[in-house]
Amino acid sequence: MSEGMDTRKFHYDGGREESVEDFVLQLQDVILQSSDVRDFLTDMAAIMASRLSQSGNHISCGITVIRNKRPTTVASSDSRARALDELQNSFGDGPCLTALRNGTVIYVPDLDSEPRWPKYNGAARAVEIRSILAVPMHLQAPAQAVVNLYAPVPDGFSHDGIDQAESLTGTAAKALDIALNMAQLRTARDDLSAALKSRTVIDTAIGVIIAQNRCRRDEAFDILVKTSSHRNIKLREVAASIVSSVSGEQEFPTPYDE
């Protein structure tokens, strides 16, 4: 455990005592087991909802992430949270998006007395939500995120409950940074692998054209480019068809394949 980590004990699920350290260990397991960021966030939303729920007050959790300046609901603990997040994104405003834009915690203790976002509040009340807590994540990655917590009762989050939610969100933000960085590395690896495969098949096709036409490399490449343009087919696809016509191969592995 890193120096200075918050190890306060919190009570969840009607009295069960757990520390933030337990939460960190859970997130570590989830990161290792998840195949992508969406899976990680879905599991994280379920864990947070479970930890913040109490008897008679089942919390639903959604996580909204903005990447490339577009809000996308990427995870939820249940169908109610998913529907409410998607509805808020369709309206373009609401407590969670306000928290995301302003970087501040937004707490609505009772939707019946909240004058802001009237359309969204009405939709939330229609599915028996009475209070909402939105906690922004402060990320190092080039993205923004907010944890959206929905309670079926008024005053669904006590002062201690809000503190607990903020503490869990802060810890979760660090885990999300790791997950986003890992996803970026996977994407870079996949892009590099695809580029190497394209280069391999293009170089092989150029060799075939040189052998067939007894021309220079630049002339062979020019033939390949003109064929691609004339047929309106990607250069790699033209190259693959040339190689396949000679070798009969449909797949073109590279020495860099895992």
Side-chain angles (χ1 to χ4, degrees), residues 6-256:
D6 185 352
T7 58
R8 288 177 296 170
K9 301 290 183 177
F10 292 143
H11 292 274
Y12 303 99
D13 297 336
R16 183 166 55 90
E17 189 178 75
E18 295 188 66
S19 69
V20 172
E21 182 180 8
D22 298 323
F23 184 53
V24 170
L25 293 175
Q26 280 187 291
L27 292 181
Q28 287 175 349
D29 288 340
V30 170
I31 289 175
L32 293 174
Q33 296 168 8
S34 300
S35 59
D36 56 28
V37 173
R38 182 181 293 273
D39 286 344
F40 165 71
L41 288 173
T42 298
D43 289 340
M44 185 167 72
I47 292 170
M48 293 188 71
S50 175
R51 282 175 166 261
L52 292 170
S53 293
Q54 297 179 352
S55 178
N57 185 22
H58 177 76
I59 302 300
S60 296
C61 177
I63 301 175
T64 297
V65 175
I66 287 183
R67 302 182 75 178
N68 300 321
K69 298 183 179 180
R70 297 186 62 184
T72 306
T73 301
V74 296
S76 57
S77 63
D78 53 40
S79 59
R80 182 165 59 176
R82 181 169 59 253
L84 286 167
D85 282 357
E86 291 175 350
L87 187 63
Q88 186 163 185
N89 288 338
S90 70
F91 285 142
D93 201 10
C96 303
L97 290 180
T98 299
L100 188 64
R101 286 192 292 263
N102 297 342
T104 57
V105 175
I106 298 291
Y107 178 41
V108 181
D110 191 346
L111 288 173
D112 284 346
S113 58
E114 174 56 64
R116 295 172 294 179
W117 324 292
K119 290 183 179 180
Y120 178 74
N121 292 347
R125 289 197 302 271
V127 293
E128 300 181 348
I129 290 298
R130 292 295 303 277
S131 52
I132 296 175
L133 175 64
V135 185
M137 286 183 165
H138 301 290
L139 303 174
Q140 300 297 318
Q144 294 174 282
V146 62
V147 173
N148 314 318
L149 300 166
Y150 304 97
V153 297
D155 300 309
F157 302 90
S158 65
H159 179 75
D160 287 343
I162 294 173
D163 285 346
Q164 294 164 10
E166 290 189 65
S167 179
L168 292 178
T169 298
T171 301
K174 296 176 183 178
L176 178 55
D177 269 325
I178 294 172
L180 290 173
N181 287 334
M182 290 173 62
Q184 186 175 16
L185 290 173
R186 290 192 193 102
T187 299
R189 179 203 61 191
D190 293 344
D191 289 346
L192 178 59
S193 177
L196 290 171
K197 288 181 179 180
S198 294
R199 183 59 183 266
T200 297
V201 72
I202 290 171
D203 284 346
T204 304
I206 288 173
V208 171
I209 295 171
I210 290 173
Q212 291 177 341
N213 295 273
R214 298 183 181 277
C215 60
R216 298 192 309 271
R217 179 180 176 82
D218 59 342
E219 292 174 331
F221 182 70
D222 189 51
I223 291 172
L224 197 60
V225 171
K226 287 181 179 178
T227 303
S228 172
S229 178
H230 178 71
R231 296 182 182 178
N232 195 27
I233 301 174
K234 292 181 179 179
L235 193 65
R236 184 188 185 280
E237 294 176 7
V238 173
S241 67
I242 292 173
V243 176
S244 180
S245 69
V246 174
S247 67
E249 294 180 280
Q250 300 299 320
E251 297 291 333
F252 309 100
T254 74
Y256 308 97

